[in-house]
Structure formats: structure tokens, C-alpha cells
């Protein structure tokens, strides 16, 4: 059962040349080259590839593969855009030998890209599942064309991998599901609270505290999920997402039959109702200020309110949110902290302040870009002695432009994040209102029964 994936590596040709000269130093300064560093460092990493036995170069030589890729790019003048493509083919644990995995990986690479691109194939034995890595040039040595990864190519890669696996008597995934993006996949593996990890935790909790499917579904709905326990595949989703997720996709053991058999582990004395916690230390004035379902222009207060809901504020609090609307954002606390500090530093309280800051950044950037252009023109006409001074001045201007671009990106990210905060907080309060109305309705029905 082999799985495959492919993604691009961005950068400039200068970055790639610098990388060839000093890979560790370049990769540490340029995170976008880390994938490239990982793949090509494996050529000199015998512990993962059994003394280099499972490293194969196609249309190039192992030790000079990167240099050959650079020459191909220069030959055809394709020096911008994506530097290379990196992919993997991962096999089911204990189903293949290293030799067989590498043989299949090499065949797959030759079939997919071997007629046009320089490729390195490595097979790794340092994880519980044997897997092959592919790294190939983004520019064809044969015709100079750039590789275009489309849905058609994605399907072709999967089908070629499945066909080769069948030829060698290996299992394949008969009904593949859409894979998450690579950053999400990495967070999933590390146990961070991604959407699907939050789903898993809440489903597991609902199973353990419920004795019947009815109460399990009620538990999840109280958490804020939309559920569908009809048919042979039970599923759920949060309101902000369009598509349902099957429980047996989250965990292949979670079929209706298995769930019924394993329910109620902690429900010895009856079913437990889901509980949504709120931060006990949120300042009253901040709590009173927020009005659900009313869009606010005061984004700094919105951020502070949200930080308390997440348990990011106050510092050293033991509170953690239990609502699935909030838990996924716990893996984005670094971004959130950076944005709050930015607003505090530049006195941004409202959207008007944010837009004014954005306009100032753009004006400063335009001024610096114009200045850099003039410096470049002066460098062309300068004497050799003057050029070094002018180049240093230009480098300083470029550094200022880079800083402003980062600020502009942060400024725009605040606007996008604030809209998502408003949406998630509204969903949170709407769910609580529904729960209170349902509770009141049950009390009324109980009183009516008692009065008869």
C-alpha cells in the first residue's frame, strides 16, 4: 500500500548556486531550501541509505547532480520560479524489502520524469515504513520545458505507483481520500491540534462518555459539530466547513459496529454531557465589550478577547479551551503573538489604524524602490572604486525594503485573521445560545409533564 506526494521547492538560481557551495549555511538562512538540502544531503548520508546503496541518479551523476541541474537552467535561460520538485513514495510497514522498494521507486521515477529531467532517487530505511524520495530539476535537459504539476499529473503519479505495486504483489489503497496539505500533514504527525486531530480527540471523548450512539451524537452536537450517524459511514463536520469527514477516515477502526462495541468506557454511572469551558480570568470589561454577531472595527480588542478565549492570556494560565472552534488555532499561537505585538508596537487599535499603517508602509517602500533604481543606474556608470560603496548602499536599501515587505505581509495577515476570529467567536457563542435554549426547552417540557 504505497502513498505518494509531490511538492515544489521555490528559490532563485543564485540561491541554488550558493547552496552548492555551502549547503548547510545556505539552507539554514533560507528555509525554502530545506527540502532540497534534506534530499541531497541524503546522498552523503549512509546511515539512512545503507552506505549509499539505495541512491540512484537518473540522467545525471550522484555527486554532481545539482551542478548539472544548474547548467541545464542556464542553458535554457530558465533561472526563475521553482528550483526543483521533491516527492516521496511511502510503503506499508513490513510489506517490502529495501531492495524491492528502491527498485519500484526507480521504475516510478523513470516512468514519470526519466525522459526529460535529471533525478535523484533515494530509499530510506530509518523509519518504520520504508520510503523513497525523488528530487528532480524543474527544467528539462531535453527541451528546456518546465515541469507542470497538475491534477492530471497527480493522478498519473498515483496510478503509476499503484500499477507497479500490483505488479509486485503489493497492496494498494482502493478508495483513496484527499490528502491534507504538507504543512498540515507534518502537524498531524507531530500531534499538533489540526482540524482532524481535534476531530479525533472529540470523537474519542464522545465514545468514552456515551453509552449509546444517540448520546454520542448528542455529545458531539453540544460541542458544536454537525453530525450524521445514518448509513454505514458515520460522519461529522464543523459549521465553517462545507464537507463532512467520515469517522472511519479519522480512524479505520471507527466503523459503526466497532464504535457500538467500544462505547461507554467512562460512562459507568450514565452518559456524560459535553462541557464547554470559558476563561475564568478574562477581564470583565473585555467580556462585556464583545458583542456576538456584530462586526467590530476595534481589532486590537478583538485580538485580546480571542487570546483570552484561547488561554494565551493571561500568561501562565492553566485554562485550555474545550471548544473545537478554538482548539485548532492553538497551533498558530506564534503567529497570533507576532500580530498582537505588531499592533501594540505601532499603536494599531482599529481597522482605520491598520489601513493607515499599510499606506505608510507602501509609501516608504515606493520611495526606497525608486532610490534603489537610481543607485543601480549609478553603479552602471561608476568607476570600479565607486562601485563597491554604491553596492553596499544598495544592499542597505534592499534590506530596508525586505523589512517593509515583511511588515506589509503582517499587516494584511492581521486583517484576514481578524475576520476568522470574528467568525469563530460568533460560532462559539451561537452554539452556547443553542445549548441554553435546548436546556430551557427541556426544563419547560419537564415542568409540563410534572403539572399533568
Amino acid at each position: 500500500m504505497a502513498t505518494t506526494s509531490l511538492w515544489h521547492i521555490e528559490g532563485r538560481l543564485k540561491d541554488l548556486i550558493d547552496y552548492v557551495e555551502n549547503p548547510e549555511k545556505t539552507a539554514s538562512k533560507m528555509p525554502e531550501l530545506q527540502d532540497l538540502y534534506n534530499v541531497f544531503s541524503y546522498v552523503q548520508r549512509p546511515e539512512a541509505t545503507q552506505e549509499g546503496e539505495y541512491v540512484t541518479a537518473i540522467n545525471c551523476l550522484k555527486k554532481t547532480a545539482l551542478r548539472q541541474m544548474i547548467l541545464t537552467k542556464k542553458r535554457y535561460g530558465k533561472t526563475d520560479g521553482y528550483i526543483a520538485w521533491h516527492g516521496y513514495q511511502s510503503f506499508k510497514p513490513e510489506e517490502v524489502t529495501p531492495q524491492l522498494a528502491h527498485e519500484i521507486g526507480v521504475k516510478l521515477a523513470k516512468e514519470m520524469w526519466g525522459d526529460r529531467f535529471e533525478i535523484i532517487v533515494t530509499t530510506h530505511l530509518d523509519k518504520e515504513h520504508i520510503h523513497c524520495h525523488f528530487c528532480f530539476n524543474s527544467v528539462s535537459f531535453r527541451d528546456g520545458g518546465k515541469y507542470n504539476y497538475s491534477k492530471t499529473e497527480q493522478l498519473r503519479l498515483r496510478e503509476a505507483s499503484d500499477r507497479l505495486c500490483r505488479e509486485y504483489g503489493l497492496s494498494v489503497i482502493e478508495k483513496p481520500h484527499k490528502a491534507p496539505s504538507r504543512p498540515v500533514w507534518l502537524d498531524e504527525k507531530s500531534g499538533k491540534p489540526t482540524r482532524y486531530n481535534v476531530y479525533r480527540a472529540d470523537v474519542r471523548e464522545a465514545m468514552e462518555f456515551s453509552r449509546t450512539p444517540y448520546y454520542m451524537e448528542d455529545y458531539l452536537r453540544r460541542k458544536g459539530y454537525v453530525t450524521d450517524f445514518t448509513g454505514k459511514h458515520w460522519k461529522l463536520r464543523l459549521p465553517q466547513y462545507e464537507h463532512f469527514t467520515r469517522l472511519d477516515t479519522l480512524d479505520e477502526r471507527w466503523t459503526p459496529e466497532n464504535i457500538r462495541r467500544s462505547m461507554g468506557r467512562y460512562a459507568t454511572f450514565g452518559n456524560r454531557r459535553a462541557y464547554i469551558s470559558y476563561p475564568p480570568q478574562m477581564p470583565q470589561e473585555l467580556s462585556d465589550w464583545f458583542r456576538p454577531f456584530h462586526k467590530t472595527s476595534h481589532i486590537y480588542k478583538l485580538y485580546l478577547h480571542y487570546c483570552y478565549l484561547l488561554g494565551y492570556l493571561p500568561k501562565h494560565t492553566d485554562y485550555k479551551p474545550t471548544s473545537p472552534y478554538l482548539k485548532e488555532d492553538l497551533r498558530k499561537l506564534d503567529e497570533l503573538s507576532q500580530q498582537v505585538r505588531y499592533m501594540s508596537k505601532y499603536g494599531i487599535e482599529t481597522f482605520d489604524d491598520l489601513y493607515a499603517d499599510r499606506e505608510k508602509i507602501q509609501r516608504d517602500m515606493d520611495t526606497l524602490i525608486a532610490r534603489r533604481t537610481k543607485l543601480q543606474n549609478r553603479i552602471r556608470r561608476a568607476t570600479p572604486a565607486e562601485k563597491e560603496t554604491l553596492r553596499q548602499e544598495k544592499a542597505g536599501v534592499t534590506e530596508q525594503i525586505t523589512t517593509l515587505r515583511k511588515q506589509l505581509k503582517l499587516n494584511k495577515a492581521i486583517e484576514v485573521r481578524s475576520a476568522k476570529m470574528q467568525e469563530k467567536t460568533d460560532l462559539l457563542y451561537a452554539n452556547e445560545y443553542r445549548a441554553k435554549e435546548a436546556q430551557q426547552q427541556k426544563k419547560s417540557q419537564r415542568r409540563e409533564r410534572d403539572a399533568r
Side-chain angles (χ1 to χ4, degrees):
M1 183 180 66
T3 58
T4 57
S5 186
L6 192 66
W7 58 93
H8 61 259
I9 301 171
E10 289 189 80
R12 301 170 300 168
L13 185 63
K14 180 182 179 300
D15 301 336
L16 188 57
I17 294 171
D18 290 344
Y19 169 84
V20 170
E21 301 301 327
N22 196 338
E24 294 193 25
K25 183 177 178 181
T26 309
S28 65
K29 287 185 177 180
M30 301 175 185
E32 63 273 16
L33 289 182
Q34 192 61 50
D35 283 336
L36 196 68
Y37 174 70
N38 289 342
V39 174
F40 280 91
S41 65
Y42 293 148
V43 176
Q44 289 88 29
R45 191 168 158 245
E47 67 274 15
T49 58
Q50 198 158 316
E51 304 301 323
E53 180 180 351
Y54 302 118
V55 178
T56 297
I58 301 170
N59 302 320
C60 57
L61 300 175
K62 291 181 189 179
K63 299 298 182 182
T64 60
L66 272 177
R67 296 182 185 278
Q68 288 178 254
M69 291 185 186
I70 290 171
L71 290 174
T72 297
K73 292 175 187 297
K74 286 184 174 181
R75 176 186 173 191
Y76 291 103
K78 302 287 181 71
T79 59
D80 57 352
Y82 300 155
I83 287 179
W85 287 84
H86 178 195
Y88 69 80
Q89 182 184 33
S90 181
F91 297 92
K92 185 177 180 180
E94 301 181 359
E95 192 174 57
V96 293
T97 62
Q99 296 89 340
L100 182 58
H102 192 67
E103 183 178 335
I104 293 173
V106 170
K107 282 191 175 182
L108 179 62
K110 286 182 176 179
E111 179 176 338
M112 289 295 302
W113 315 292
D115 59 336
R116 299 180 63 221
F117 298 96
E118 296 125 333
I119 315 163
I120 288 286
V121 182
T122 66
T123 300
H124 289 186
L125 323 177
D126 55 343
K127 297 286 191 294
E128 64 175 12
H129 58 283
I130 296 174
H131 56 285
C132 298
H133 283 267
F134 314 105
C135 192
F136 61 95
N137 199 352
S138 59
V139 179
S140 168
F141 69 88
R142 191 172 299 280
D143 55 27
K146 297 201 76 171
Y147 181 69
N148 180 32
Y149 187 52
S150 60
K151 287 186 177 179
T152 302
E153 278 291 280
Q154 184 182 43
L155 181 61
R156 190 166 77 92
L157 175 61
R158 186 189 307 149
E159 289 178 344
S161 175
D162 287 351
R163 176 170 40 75
L164 286 168
C165 285
R166 288 191 183 98
E167 287 176 6
Y168 283 87
L170 305 180
S171 59
V172 299
I173 301 174
E174 296 298 341
K175 296 181 179 179
H177 301 288
K178 182 181 178 182
S181 65
R182 187 165 182 264
V184 172
W185 178 77
L186 291 172
D187 284 348
E188 290 265 315
K189 285 189 67 177
S190 63
K192 291 183 180 179
T194 63
R195 185 204 318 180
Y196 300 112
N197 279 342
V198 170
Y199 282 5
R200 289 184 187 97
D202 285 340
V203 169
R204 192 175 294 111
E205 191 178 282
M207 288 169 57
E208 291 174 342
F209 292 142
S210 307
R211 300 167 105 182
T212 67
Y214 170 83
Y215 284 106
M216 178 180 170
E217 199 167 9
D218 185 63
Y219 192 102
L220 291 168
R221 286 174 178 169
R222 174 66 186 90
K223 282 269 191 177
Y225 289 97
V226 180
T227 62
D228 180 1
F229 279 20
T230 62
K232 62 180 182 178
H233 299 290
W234 293 355
K235 50 197 175 184
L236 83 170
R237 66 177 174 87
L238 288 174
Q240 65 265 40
Y241 300 115
E242 180 182 357
H243 300 292
F244 280 94
T245 298
R246 284 170 32 179
L247 302 194
D248 56 2
T249 298
L250 298 172
D251 189 320
E252 61 184 12
R253 297 169 295 181
W254 288 349
T255 62
E257 296 77 15
N258 286 342
I259 289 174
R260 287 190 179 97
R261 284 196 294 266
S262 57
M263 293 179 75
R265 180 181 177 189
Y266 298 123
T268 307
F269 302 104
N271 302 285
R272 188 181 299 182
R273 184 169 174 77
Y275 170 72
I276 300 296
S277 61
Y278 282 89
Q281 296 168 287
M282 182 184 292
Q284 191 62 45
E285 61 180 33
L286 197 58
S287 179
D288 294 341
W289 164 81
F290 185 79
R291 297 175 63 199
F293 322 118
H294 291 79
K295 186 174 181 180
T296 179
S297 64
H298 207 299
I299 52 175
Y300 187 62
K301 281 188 176 179
L302 176 64
Y303 263 79
L304 292 180
H305 183 271
Y306 200 71
C307 285
Y308 275 97
L309 289 176
L310 288 178
Y312 178 70
L313 290 176
K315 296 297 183 183
H316 311 300
T317 180
D318 293 330
Y319 160 79
K320 296 293 180 186
T322 57
S323 170
Y325 299 135
L326 303 176
K327 286 196 287 187
E328 187 183 354
D329 277 352
L330 292 175
R331 70 187 179 100
K332 303 173 184 175
L333 289 180
D334 288 343
E335 295 174 20
L336 191 69
S337 174
Q338 186 182 24
Q339 291 166 358
V340 170
R341 288 199 302 269
Y342 183 85
M343 287 189 284
S344 177
K345 180 179 179 180
Y346 293 100
I348 296 170
E349 298 276 345
T350 66
F351 276 116
D352 288 341
D353 296 336
L354 188 72
Y355 297 147
D357 177 67
R358 189 179 303 174
E359 289 175 5
K360 180 181 181 304
I361 294 171
Q362 191 62 59
R363 285 197 305 271
D364 291 347
M365 278 180 57
D366 292 342
T367 300
L368 287 168
I369 289 170
R371 182 179 165 195
R372 186 172 64 177
T373 302
K374 289 180 181 178
L375 284 169
Q376 183 60 40
N377 291 334
R378 287 177 61 189
I379 289 170
R380 291 194 187 100
R381 299 189 297 269
T383 63
E386 295 172 328
K387 282 185 177 182
E388 184 59 33
T389 302
L390 290 171
R391 281 174 179 152
Q392 289 179 3
E393 185 179 351
K394 181 189 170 187
V397 172
T398 298
E399 190 174 340
Q400 293 178 61
I401 293 171
T402 301
T403 300
L404 288 174
R405 281 182 175 147
K406 289 179 180 177
Q407 290 182 10
L408 185 61
K409 183 178 179 180
L410 195 54
N411 179 296
K412 292 179 178 179
I414 289 169
E415 182 178 11
V416 173
R417 173 65 64 82
S418 64
K420 292 180 179 178
M421 283 182 183
Q422 182 84 46
E423 178 191 15
K424 289 190 175 184
T425 312
D426 286 348
L427 284 169
L428 175 68
Y429 283 107
N431 186 55
E432 293 308 290
Y433 292 158
R434 283 194 301 269
K436 288 178 181 178
E437 288 175 1
Q439 193 69 17
Q440 289 296 329
Q441 189 176 5
K442 286 181 179 179
K443 286 181 180 179
S444 298
Q445 290 172 350
R446 195 178 301 118
R447 282 195 296 267
E448 288 177 6
R449 281 199 311 269
D450 293 343
R452 289 174 188 163

